[in-house]
PDB file of all heavy atoms in Angstrom:
ATOM      1  N   VAL A 470       4.859  19.273  11.397  1.00  0.00           N
ATOM      2  CA  VAL A 470       4.547  18.176  12.313  1.00  0.00           C
ATOM      3  C   VAL A 470       5.581  17.102  12.044  1.00  0.00           C
ATOM      4  O   VAL A 470       5.659  16.579  10.924  1.00  0.00           O
ATOM      5  CB  VAL A 470       3.124  17.641  12.095  1.00  0.00           C
ATOM      6  CG1 VAL A 470       2.828  16.510  13.085  1.00  0.00           C
ATOM      7  CG2 VAL A 470       2.085  18.749  12.238  1.00  0.00           C
ATOM      8  N   ILE A 510      -2.666  20.984  14.199  1.00  0.00           N
ATOM      9  CA  ILE A 510      -3.222  20.880  12.841  1.00  0.00           C
ATOM     10  C   ILE A 510      -4.492  21.713  12.726  1.00  0.00           C
ATOM     11  O   ILE A 510      -4.716  22.416  11.719  1.00  0.00           O
ATOM     12  CB  ILE A 510      -3.474  19.406  12.475  1.00  0.00           C
ATOM     13  CG1 ILE A 510      -2.145  18.661  12.362  1.00  0.00           C
ATOM     14  CG2 ILE A 510      -4.267  19.284  11.181  1.00  0.00           C
ATOM     15  CD1 ILE A 510      -2.261  17.155  12.360  1.00  0.00           C
ATOM     16  N   LEU A 520       0.797  22.741   5.776  1.00  0.00           N
ATOM     17  CA  LEU A 520       1.412  21.807   6.713  1.00  0.00           C
ATOM     18  C   LEU A 520       2.481  20.952   6.023  1.00  0.00           C
ATOM     19  O   LEU A 520       2.267  20.464   4.905  1.00  0.00           O
ATOM     20  CB  LEU A 520       0.344  20.899   7.323  1.00  0.00           C
ATOM     21  CG  LEU A 520      -0.548  21.522   8.389  1.00  0.00           C
ATOM     22  CD1 LEU A 520      -1.857  20.783   8.512  1.00  0.00           C
ATOM     23  CD2 LEU A 520       0.180  21.555   9.732  1.00  0.00           C
ATOM     24  N   VAL A 521       3.600  20.758   6.716  1.00  0.00           N
ATOM     25  CA  VAL A 521       4.642  19.851   6.261  1.00  0.00           C
ATOM     26  C   VAL A 521       4.810  18.769   7.322  1.00  0.00           C
ATOM     27  O   VAL A 521       5.013  19.084   8.510  1.00  0.00           O
ATOM     28  CB  VAL A 521       5.985  20.591   6.040  1.00  0.00           C
ATOM     29  CG1 VAL A 521       7.102  19.596   5.721  1.00  0.00           C
ATOM     30  CG2 VAL A 521       5.853  21.625   4.930  1.00  0.00           C
ATOM     31  N   PHE A 522       4.690  17.512   6.919  1.00  0.00           N
ATOM     32  CA  PHE A 522       4.838  16.373   7.833  1.00  0.00           C
ATOM     33  C   PHE A 522       6.160  15.672   7.553  1.00  0.00           C
ATOM     34  O   PHE A 522       6.458  15.320   6.408  1.00  0.00           O
ATOM     35  CB  PHE A 522       3.687  15.377   7.622  1.00  0.00           C
ATOM     36  CG  PHE A 522       2.330  15.905   8.031  1.00  0.00           C
ATOM     37  CD1 PHE A 522       1.584  16.684   7.156  1.00  0.00           C
ATOM     38  CD2 PHE A 522       1.792  15.611   9.269  1.00  0.00           C
ATOM     39  CE1 PHE A 522       0.338  17.180   7.509  1.00  0.00           C
ATOM     40  CE2 PHE A 522       0.541  16.099   9.644  1.00  0.00           C
ATOM     41  CZ  PHE A 522      -0.185  16.887   8.754  1.00  0.00           C
ATOM     42  N   LEU A 523       6.950  15.458   8.593  1.00  0.00           N
ATOM     43  CA  LEU A 523       8.226  14.739   8.495  1.00  0.00           C
ATOM     44  C   LEU A 523       8.088  13.419   9.238  1.00  0.00           C
ATOM     45  O   LEU A 523       8.016  13.399  10.474  1.00  0.00           O
ATOM     46  CB  LEU A 523       9.355  15.578   9.071  1.00  0.00           C
ATOM     47  CG  LEU A 523       9.566  16.964   8.460  1.00  0.00           C
ATOM     48  CD1 LEU A 523      10.674  17.716   9.184  1.00  0.00           C
ATOM     49  CD2 LEU A 523       9.887  16.869   6.969  1.00  0.00           C
ATOM     50  N   HIS A 524       8.049  12.318   8.482  1.00  0.00           N
ATOM     51  CA  HIS A 524       7.772  11.004   9.053  1.00  0.00           C
ATOM     52  C   HIS A 524       9.050  10.295   9.519  1.00  0.00           C
ATOM     53  O   HIS A 524      10.017  10.161   8.755  1.00  0.00           O
ATOM     54  CB  HIS A 524       7.173  10.065   8.000  1.00  0.00           C
ATOM     55  CG  HIS A 524       5.823  10.419   7.491  1.00  0.00           C
ATOM     56  ND1 HIS A 524       4.833   9.478   7.309  1.00  0.00           N
ATOM     57  CD2 HIS A 524       5.284  11.591   7.092  1.00  0.00           C
ATOM     58  CE1 HIS A 524       3.755  10.061   6.816  1.00  0.00           C
ATOM     59  NE2 HIS A 524       4.020  11.356   6.676  1.00  0.00           N
ATOM     60  N   VAL A 526       8.165   7.324  12.060  1.00  0.00           N
ATOM     61  CA  VAL A 526       7.211   6.912  13.097  1.00  0.00           C
ATOM     62  C   VAL A 526       7.061   5.397  13.138  1.00  0.00           C
ATOM     63  O   VAL A 526       6.879   4.733  12.117  1.00  0.00           O
ATOM     64  CB  VAL A 526       5.842   7.604  12.842  1.00  0.00           C
ATOM     65  CG1 VAL A 526       5.264   7.275  11.468  1.00  0.00           C
ATOM     66  CG2 VAL A 526       4.840   7.256  13.938  1.00  0.00           C
ATOM     67  N   MET A 547      -6.266  12.900  16.215  1.00  0.00           N
ATOM     68  CA  MET A 547      -5.200  13.314  15.291  1.00  0.00           C
ATOM     69  C   MET A 547      -5.539  12.919  13.860  1.00  0.00           C
ATOM     70  O   MET A 547      -5.386  13.710  12.928  1.00  0.00           O
ATOM     71  CB  MET A 547      -3.879  12.690  15.715  1.00  0.00           C
ATOM     72  CG  MET A 547      -2.681  13.129  14.884  1.00  0.00           C
ATOM     73  SD  MET A 547      -1.128  12.455  15.551  1.00  0.00           S
ATOM     74  CE  MET A 547       0.034  13.046  14.299  1.00  0.00           C
ATOM     75  N   VAL A 548      -6.037  11.692  13.683  1.00  0.00           N
ATOM     76  CA  VAL A 548      -6.399  11.236  12.349  1.00  0.00           C
ATOM     77  C   VAL A 548      -7.558  12.070  11.793  1.00  0.00           C
ATOM     78  O   VAL A 548      -7.566  12.415  10.593  1.00  0.00           O
ATOM     79  CB  VAL A 548      -6.751   9.724  12.363  1.00  0.00           C
ATOM     80  CG1 VAL A 548      -7.343   9.295  11.018  1.00  0.00           C
ATOM     81  CG2 VAL A 548      -5.510   8.902  12.688  1.00  0.00           C
ATOM     82  N   ALA A 550      -8.197  15.223  12.508  1.00  0.00           N
ATOM     83  CA  ALA A 550      -7.660  16.529  12.152  1.00  0.00           C
ATOM     84  C   ALA A 550      -6.950  16.475  10.819  1.00  0.00           C
ATOM     85  O   ALA A 550      -7.099  17.370   9.969  1.00  0.00           O
ATOM     86  CB  ALA A 550      -6.703  17.013  13.246  1.00  0.00           C
ATOM     87  N   VAL A 551      -6.158  15.425  10.580  1.00  0.00           N
ATOM     88  CA  VAL A 551      -5.456  15.270   9.304  1.00  0.00           C
ATOM     89  C   VAL A 551      -6.462  15.066   8.175  1.00  0.00           C
ATOM     90  O   VAL A 551      -6.330  15.639   7.090  1.00  0.00           O
ATOM     91  CB  VAL A 551      -4.460  14.091   9.375  1.00  0.00           C
ATOM     92  CG1 VAL A 551      -3.888  13.785   7.990  1.00  0.00           C
ATOM     93  CG2 VAL A 551      -3.311  14.418  10.342  1.00  0.00           C
ATOM     94  N   SER A 552      -7.468  14.228   8.429  1.00  0.00           N
ATOM     95  CA  SER A 552      -8.443  13.878   7.383  1.00  0.00           C
ATOM     96  C   SER A 552      -9.237  15.089   6.914  1.00  0.00           C
ATOM     97  O   SER A 552      -9.553  15.210   5.733  1.00  0.00           O
ATOM     98  CB  SER A 552      -9.407  12.816   7.915  1.00  0.00           C
ATOM     99  OG  SER A 552      -8.736  11.660   8.345  1.00  0.00           O
ATOM    100  N   SER A 554      -8.399  18.316   7.316  1.00  0.00           N
ATOM    101  CA  SER A 554      -7.565  19.499   7.027  1.00  0.00           C
ATOM    102  C   SER A 554      -7.794  19.968   5.598  1.00  0.00           C
ATOM    103  O   SER A 554      -7.876  19.174   4.669  1.00  0.00           O
ATOM    104  CB  SER A 554      -6.095  19.113   7.227  1.00  0.00           C
ATOM    105  OG  SER A 554      -5.257  20.179   6.851  1.00  0.00           O
ATOM    106  N   VAL A 556      -5.996  22.918   4.321  1.00  0.00           N
ATOM    107  CA  VAL A 556      -4.813  23.619   3.802  1.00  0.00           C
ATOM    108  C   VAL A 556      -3.920  22.612   3.087  1.00  0.00           C
ATOM    109  O   VAL A 556      -4.027  21.402   3.315  1.00  0.00           O
ATOM    110  CB  VAL A 556      -4.039  24.322   4.936  1.00  0.00           C
ATOM    111  CG1 VAL A 556      -4.894  25.401   5.575  1.00  0.00           C
ATOM    112  CG2 VAL A 556      -3.528  23.327   5.976  1.00  0.00           C
ATOM    113  N   PRO A 557      -3.041  23.077   2.196  1.00  0.00           N
ATOM    114  CA  PRO A 557      -2.131  22.139   1.521  1.00  0.00           C
ATOM    115  C   PRO A 557      -1.277  21.359   2.533  1.00  0.00           C
ATOM    116  O   PRO A 557      -0.816  21.900   3.529  1.00  0.00           O
ATOM    117  CB  PRO A 557      -1.256  23.046   0.670  1.00  0.00           C
ATOM    118  CG  PRO A 557      -2.075  24.282   0.448  1.00  0.00           C
ATOM    119  CD  PRO A 557      -2.869  24.457   1.705  1.00  0.00           C
ATOM    120  N   LYS A 558      -1.085  20.063   2.239  1.00  0.00           N
ATOM    121  CA  LYS A 558      -0.280  19.181   3.093  1.00  0.00           C
ATOM    122  C   LYS A 558       0.797  18.546   2.223  1.00  0.00           C
ATOM    123  O   LYS A 558       0.507  18.053   1.134  1.00  0.00           O
ATOM    124  CB  LYS A 558      -1.156  18.106   3.732  1.00  0.00           C
ATOM    125  CG  LYS A 558      -2.241  18.636   4.650  1.00  0.00           C
ATOM    126  CD  LYS A 558      -3.224  17.547   5.082  1.00  0.00           C
ATOM    127  CE  LYS A 558      -4.063  17.073   3.915  1.00  0.00           C
ATOM    128  NZ  LYS A 558      -5.222  16.261   4.285  1.00  0.00           N
ATOM    129  N   ILE A 559       2.015  18.551   2.717  1.00  0.00           N
ATOM    130  CA  ILE A 559       3.145  17.927   2.035  1.00  0.00           C
ATOM    131  C   ILE A 559       3.815  16.989   3.018  1.00  0.00           C
ATOM    132  O   ILE A 559       4.100  17.392   4.163  1.00  0.00           O
ATOM    133  CB  ILE A 559       4.159  18.983   1.537  1.00  0.00           C
ATOM    134  CG1 ILE A 559       3.475  19.978   0.602  1.00  0.00           C
ATOM    135  CG2 ILE A 559       5.338  18.325   0.847  1.00  0.00           C
ATOM    136  CD1 ILE A 559       4.319  21.197   0.288  1.00  0.00           C
ATOM    137  N   ALA A 560       4.064  15.752   2.602  1.00  0.00           N
ATOM    138  CA  ALA A 560       4.667  14.769   3.496  1.00  0.00           C
ATOM    139  C   ALA A 560       6.025  14.336   2.970  1.00  0.00           C
ATOM    140  O   ALA A 560       6.204  14.178   1.763  1.00  0.00           O
ATOM    141  CB  ALA A 560       3.748  13.550   3.644  1.00  0.00           C
ATOM    142  N   VAL A 561       6.962  14.137   3.890  1.00  0.00           N
ATOM    143  CA  VAL A 561       8.300  13.617   3.555  1.00  0.00           C
ATOM    144  C   VAL A 561       8.576  12.459   4.507  1.00  0.00           C
ATOM    145  O   VAL A 561       8.598  12.642   5.730  1.00  0.00           O
ATOM    146  CB  VAL A 561       9.396  14.691   3.719  1.00  0.00           C
ATOM    147  CG1 VAL A 561      10.744  14.100   3.323  1.00  0.00           C
ATOM    148  CG2 VAL A 561       9.089  15.935   2.884  1.00  0.00           C
ATOM    149  N   ILE A 562       8.783  11.273   3.947  1.00  0.00           N
ATOM    150  CA  ILE A 562       9.112  10.108   4.757  1.00  0.00           C
ATOM    151  C   ILE A 562      10.637  10.054   4.888  1.00  0.00           C
ATOM    152  O   ILE A 562      11.338   9.747   3.926  1.00  0.00           O
ATOM    153  CB  ILE A 562       8.565   8.813   4.156  1.00  0.00           C
ATOM    154  CG1 ILE A 562       7.058   8.908   3.957  1.00  0.00           C
ATOM    155  CG2 ILE A 562       8.892   7.621   5.054  1.00  0.00           C
ATOM    156  CD1 ILE A 562       6.423   7.671   3.312  1.00  0.00           C
ATOM    157  N   SER A 566       7.835   4.648   8.397  1.00  0.00           N
ATOM    158  CA  SER A 566       6.460   5.177   8.374  1.00  0.00           C
ATOM    159  C   SER A 566       5.548   3.960   8.459  1.00  0.00           C
ATOM    160  O   SER A 566       5.147   3.392   7.436  1.00  0.00           O
ATOM    161  CB  SER A 566       6.194   6.009   7.117  1.00  0.00           C
ATOM    162  OG  SER A 566       4.956   6.681   7.211  1.00  0.00           O
ATOM    163  N   ALA A 569      -0.572   2.648  11.761  1.00  0.00           N
ATOM    164  CA  ALA A 569      -1.483   3.791  11.920  1.00  0.00           C
ATOM    165  C   ALA A 569      -0.711   5.104  12.085  1.00  0.00           C
ATOM    166  O   ALA A 569      -1.256   6.173  11.837  1.00  0.00           O
ATOM    167  CB  ALA A 569      -2.403   3.579  13.116  1.00  0.00           C
ATOM    168  N   GLY A 570       0.569   5.015  12.461  1.00  0.00           N
ATOM    169  CA  GLY A 570       1.379   6.216  12.526  1.00  0.00           C
ATOM    170  C   GLY A 570       1.519   6.859  11.162  1.00  0.00           C
ATOM    171  O   GLY A 570       1.555   8.090  11.040  1.00  0.00           O
ATOM    172  N   HIS A 571       1.592   6.028  10.108  1.00  0.00           N
ATOM    173  CA  HIS A 571       1.641   6.550   8.741  1.00  0.00           C
ATOM    174  C   HIS A 571       0.378   7.337   8.428  1.00  0.00           C
ATOM    175  O   HIS A 571       0.435   8.397   7.813  1.00  0.00           O
ATOM    176  CB  HIS A 571       1.820   5.386   7.766  1.00  0.00           C
ATOM    177  CG  HIS A 571       1.725   5.777   6.330  1.00  0.00           C
ATOM    178  ND1 HIS A 571       2.720   6.459   5.670  1.00  0.00           N
ATOM    179  CD2 HIS A 571       0.720   5.612   5.421  1.00  0.00           C
ATOM    180  CE1 HIS A 571       2.350   6.671   4.414  1.00  0.00           C
ATOM    181  NE2 HIS A 571       1.153   6.181   4.241  1.00  0.00           N
ATOM    182  N   TYR A 572      -0.773   6.817   8.857  1.00  0.00           N
ATOM    183  CA  TYR A 572      -2.035   7.512   8.600  1.00  0.00           C
ATOM    184  C   TYR A 572      -2.055   8.857   9.324  1.00  0.00           C
ATOM    185  O   TYR A 572      -2.407   9.891   8.746  1.00  0.00           O
ATOM    186  CB  TYR A 572      -3.223   6.671   9.074  1.00  0.00           C
ATOM    187  CG  TYR A 572      -3.307   5.290   8.493  1.00  0.00           C
ATOM    188  CD1 TYR A 572      -3.888   4.254   9.198  1.00  0.00           C
ATOM    189  CD2 TYR A 572      -2.792   4.996   7.226  1.00  0.00           C
ATOM    190  CE1 TYR A 572      -3.982   2.973   8.668  1.00  0.00           C
ATOM    191  CE2 TYR A 572      -2.881   3.736   6.683  1.00  0.00           C
ATOM    192  CZ  TYR A 572      -3.476   2.717   7.418  1.00  0.00           C
ATOM    193  OH  TYR A 572      -3.566   1.457   6.890  1.00  0.00           O
ATOM    194  N   ALA A 573      -1.712   8.835  10.614  1.00  0.00           N
ATOM    195  CA  ALA A 573      -1.799  10.062  11.418  1.00  0.00           C
ATOM    196  C   ALA A 573      -0.854  11.132  10.931  1.00  0.00           C
ATOM    197  O   ALA A 573      -1.113  12.332  11.136  1.00  0.00           O
ATOM    198  CB  ALA A 573      -1.505   9.723  12.884  1.00  0.00           C
ATOM    199  N   MET A 574       0.236  10.727  10.275  1.00  0.00           N
ATOM    200  CA  MET A 574       1.210  11.702   9.767  1.00  0.00           C
ATOM    201  C   MET A 574       0.942  12.072   8.315  1.00  0.00           C
ATOM    202  O   MET A 574       1.840  12.490   7.581  1.00  0.00           O
ATOM    203  CB  MET A 574       2.621  11.131   9.925  1.00  0.00           C
ATOM    204  CG  MET A 574       3.099  11.040  11.363  1.00  0.00           C
ATOM    205  SD  MET A 574       3.282  12.638  12.169  1.00  0.00           S
ATOM    206  CE  MET A 574       4.637  13.333  11.221  1.00  0.00           C
ATOM    207  N   CYS A 575      -0.304  11.946   7.889  1.00  0.00           N
ATOM    208  CA  CYS A 575      -0.740  12.319   6.545  1.00  0.00           C
ATOM    209  C   CYS A 575      -0.090  11.430   5.488  1.00  0.00           C
ATOM    210  O   CYS A 575       0.622  11.886   4.602  1.00  0.00           O
ATOM    211  CB  CYS A 575      -0.435  13.787   6.258  1.00  0.00           C
ATOM    212  SG  CYS A 575      -1.307  14.399   4.783  1.00  0.00           S
ATOM    213  N   GLY A 576      -0.364  10.124   5.605  1.00  0.00           N
ATOM    214  CA  GLY A 576       0.073   9.176   4.583  1.00  0.00           C
ATOM    215  C   GLY A 576      -0.698   9.362   3.293  1.00  0.00           C
ATOM    216  O   GLY A 576      -1.573  10.213   3.181  1.00  0.00           O
ATOM    217  N   LYS A 577      -0.388   8.515   2.319  1.00  0.00           N
ATOM    218  CA  LYS A 577      -0.924   8.706   0.971  1.00  0.00           C
ATOM    219  C   LYS A 577      -2.450   8.733   0.946  1.00  0.00           C
ATOM    220  O   LYS A 577      -3.049   9.460   0.157  1.00  0.00           O
ATOM    221  CB  LYS A 577      -0.405   7.570   0.065  1.00  0.00           C
ATOM    222  CG  LYS A 577      -0.793   7.699  -1.405  1.00  0.00           C
ATOM    223  CD  LYS A 577      -0.205   8.977  -2.021  1.00  0.00           C
ATOM    224  CE  LYS A 577      -0.686   9.183  -3.441  1.00  0.00           C
ATOM    225  NZ  LYS A 577      -0.178   8.207  -4.401  1.00  0.00           N
ATOM    226  N   ALA A 578      -3.085   7.948   1.815  1.00  0.00           N
ATOM    227  CA  ALA A 578      -4.550   7.894   1.822  1.00  0.00           C
ATOM    228  C   ALA A 578      -5.203   9.166   2.353  1.00  0.00           C
ATOM    229  O   ALA A 578      -6.431   9.317   2.285  1.00  0.00           O
ATOM    230  CB  ALA A 578      -5.027   6.702   2.654  1.00  0.00           C
ATOM    231  N   TYR A 579      -4.392  10.115   2.864  1.00  0.00           N
ATOM    232  CA  TYR A 579      -4.931  11.324   3.488  1.00  0.00           C
ATOM    233  C   TYR A 579      -4.691  12.570   2.643  1.00  0.00           C
ATOM    234  O   TYR A 579      -4.687  13.689   3.143  1.00  0.00           O
ATOM    235  CB  TYR A 579      -4.390  11.457   4.918  1.00  0.00           C
ATOM    236  CG  TYR A 579      -4.955  10.362   5.784  1.00  0.00           C
ATOM    237  CD1 TYR A 579      -4.426   9.081   5.717  1.00  0.00           C
ATOM    238  CD2 TYR A 579      -6.088  10.567   6.555  1.00  0.00           C
ATOM    239  CE1 TYR A 579      -4.983   8.044   6.444  1.00  0.00           C
ATOM    240  CE2 TYR A 579      -6.650   9.541   7.293  1.00  0.00           C
ATOM    241  CZ  TYR A 579      -6.088   8.273   7.217  1.00  0.00           C
ATOM    242  OH  TYR A 579      -6.667   7.240   7.936  1.00  0.00           O
ATOM    243  N   ASP A 580      -4.502  12.351   1.343  1.00  0.00           N
ATOM    244  CA  ASP A 580      -4.465  13.430   0.350  1.00  0.00           C
ATOM    245  C   ASP A 580      -3.405  14.487   0.563  1.00  0.00           C
ATOM    246  O   ASP A 580      -3.680  15.693   0.448  1.00  0.00           O
ATOM    247  CB  ASP A 580      -5.842  14.114   0.274  1.00  0.00           C
ATOM    248  CG  ASP A 580      -6.941  13.178  -0.189  1.00  0.00           C
ATOM    249  OD1 ASP A 580      -6.644  12.285  -1.014  1.00  0.00           O
ATOM    250  OD2 ASP A 580      -8.084  13.305   0.294  1.00  0.00           O
ATOM    251  N   PRO A 581      -2.146  14.097   0.814  1.00  0.00           N
ATOM    252  CA  PRO A 581      -1.107  15.118   0.732  1.00  0.00           C
ATOM    253  C   PRO A 581      -0.989  15.611  -0.707  1.00  0.00           C
ATOM    254  O   PRO A 581      -1.141  14.824  -1.645  1.00  0.00           O
ATOM    255  CB  PRO A 581       0.163  14.383   1.174  1.00  0.00           C
ATOM    256  CG  PRO A 581      -0.098  12.947   0.829  1.00  0.00           C
ATOM    257  CD  PRO A 581      -1.576  12.745   1.029  1.00  0.00           C
ATOM    258  N   ARG A 582      -0.731  16.897  -0.902  1.00  0.00           N
ATOM    259  CA  ARG A 582      -0.530  17.393  -2.267  1.00  0.00           C
ATOM    260  C   ARG A 582       0.670  16.703  -2.905  1.00  0.00           C
ATOM    261  O   ARG A 582       0.674  16.427  -4.097  1.00  0.00           O
ATOM    262  CB  ARG A 582      -0.302  18.914  -2.240  1.00  0.00           C
ATOM    263  CG  ARG A 582      -1.458  19.734  -1.705  1.00  0.00           C
ATOM    264  CD  ARG A 582      -2.521  19.978  -2.762  1.00  0.00           C
ATOM    265  NE  ARG A 582      -3.592  20.823  -2.228  1.00  0.00           N
ATOM    266  CZ  ARG A 582      -3.681  22.136  -2.405  1.00  0.00           C
ATOM    267  NH1 ARG A 582      -2.753  22.766  -3.108  1.00  0.00           N
ATOM    268  NH2 ARG A 582      -4.681  22.820  -1.884  1.00  0.00           N
ATOM    269  N   PHE A 583       1.716  16.445  -2.083  1.00  0.00           N
ATOM    270  CA  PHE A 583       2.889  15.715  -2.532  1.00  0.00           C
ATOM    271  C   PHE A 583       3.350  14.801  -1.399  1.00  0.00           C
ATOM    272  O   PHE A 583       3.219  15.160  -0.218  1.00  0.00           O
ATOM    273  CB  PHE A 583       4.046  16.665  -2.877  1.00  0.00           C
ATOM    274  CG  PHE A 583       3.752  17.589  -4.021  1.00  0.00           C
ATOM    275  CD1 PHE A 583       3.245  18.861  -3.804  1.00  0.00           C
ATOM    276  CD2 PHE A 583       3.997  17.194  -5.336  1.00  0.00           C
ATOM    277  CE1 PHE A 583       2.975  19.731  -4.842  1.00  0.00           C
ATOM    278  CE2 PHE A 583       3.724  18.050  -6.396  1.00  0.00           C
ATOM    279  CZ  PHE A 583       3.212  19.307  -6.165  1.00  0.00           C
ATOM    280  N   LEU A 584       3.909  13.638  -1.774  1.00  0.00           N
ATOM    281  CA  LEU A 584       4.516  12.753  -0.792  1.00  0.00           C
ATOM    282  C   LEU A 584       5.886  12.324  -1.325  1.00  0.00           C
ATOM    283  O   LEU A 584       5.996  11.677  -2.366  1.00  0.00           O
ATOM    284  CB  LEU A 584       3.637  11.527  -0.528  1.00  0.00           C
ATOM    285  CG  LEU A 584       4.016  10.708   0.712  1.00  0.00           C
ATOM    286  CD1 LEU A 584       2.793   9.989   1.274  1.00  0.00           C
ATOM    287  CD2 LEU A 584       5.118   9.693   0.429  1.00  0.00           C
ATOM    288  N   PHE A 585       6.935  12.750  -0.613  1.00  0.00           N
ATOM    289  CA  PHE A 585       8.311  12.439  -0.997  1.00  0.00           C
ATOM    290  C   PHE A 585       8.927  11.482   0.015  1.00  0.00           C
ATOM    291  O   PHE A 585       8.436  11.364   1.150  1.00  0.00           O
ATOM    292  CB  PHE A 585       9.152  13.712  -1.058  1.00  0.00           C
ATOM    293  CG  PHE A 585       8.580  14.766  -1.979  1.00  0.00           C
ATOM    294  CD1 PHE A 585       8.032  15.937  -1.480  1.00  0.00           C
ATOM    295  CD2 PHE A 585       8.588  14.584  -3.357  1.00  0.00           C
ATOM    296  CE1 PHE A 585       7.502  16.911  -2.327  1.00  0.00           C
ATOM    297  CE2 PHE A 585       8.071  15.547  -4.218  1.00  0.00           C
ATOM    298  CZ  PHE A 585       7.532  16.713  -3.692  1.00  0.00           C
ATOM    299  N   TYR A 592       8.432   1.786   4.595  1.00  0.00           N
ATOM    300  CA  TYR A 592       7.031   2.116   4.403  1.00  0.00           C
ATOM    301  C   TYR A 592       6.224   0.820   4.462  1.00  0.00           C
ATOM    302  O   TYR A 592       6.201   0.060   3.508  1.00  0.00           O
ATOM    303  CB  TYR A 592       6.943   2.760   3.025  1.00  0.00           C
ATOM    304  CG  TYR A 592       5.663   3.463   2.622  1.00  0.00           C
ATOM    305  CD1 TYR A 592       5.612   4.114   1.384  1.00  0.00           C
ATOM    306  CD2 TYR A 592       4.545   3.497   3.404  1.00  0.00           C
ATOM    307  CE1 TYR A 592       4.486   4.775   0.963  1.00  0.00           C
ATOM    308  CE2 TYR A 592       3.407   4.164   2.988  1.00  0.00           C
ATOM    309  CZ  TYR A 592       3.390   4.794   1.760  1.00  0.00           C
ATOM    310  OH  TYR A 592       2.256   5.459   1.352  1.00  0.00           O
ATOM    311  N   TRP A 649       2.843   5.118  -4.579  1.00  0.00           N
ATOM    312  CA  TRP A 649       2.521   5.532  -3.209  1.00  0.00           C
ATOM    313  C   TRP A 649       3.401   6.710  -2.823  1.00  0.00           C
ATOM    314  O   TRP A 649       3.068   7.446  -1.893  1.00  0.00           O
ATOM    315  CB  TRP A 649       2.758   4.386  -2.230  1.00  0.00           C
ATOM    316  CG  TRP A 649       2.042   3.106  -2.548  1.00  0.00           C
ATOM    317  CD1 TRP A 649       0.909   2.968  -3.314  1.00  0.00           C
ATOM    318  CD2 TRP A 649       2.422   1.778  -2.152  1.00  0.00           C
ATOM    319  NE1 TRP A 649       0.558   1.655  -3.401  1.00  0.00           N
ATOM    320  CE2 TRP A 649       1.470   0.878  -2.702  1.00  0.00           C
ATOM    321  CE3 TRP A 649       3.453   1.273  -1.388  1.00  0.00           C
ATOM    322  CZ2 TRP A 649       1.520  -0.478  -2.494  1.00  0.00           C
ATOM    323  CZ3 TRP A 649       3.521  -0.117  -1.186  1.00  0.00           C
ATOM    324  CH2 TRP A 649       2.562  -0.968  -1.729  1.00  0.00           C
TER     325      TRP A 649
END
Side-chain angles (χ1 to χ4, degrees):
V470 181
I510 292 165
L520 285 157
V521 174
F522 293 83
L523 302 177
H524 294 223
V526 58
M547 184 175 176
V548 171
V551 171
S552 302
S554 175
V556 297
K558 297 171 292 194
I559 302 168
V561 182
I562 303 178
S566 190
H571 173 74
Y572 304 151
M574 290 295 294
C575 194
K577 185 62 185 291
Y579 292 79
D580 297 326
R582 297 279 183 97
F583 297 94
L584 194 153
F585 305 109
Y592 192 176
W649 306 336

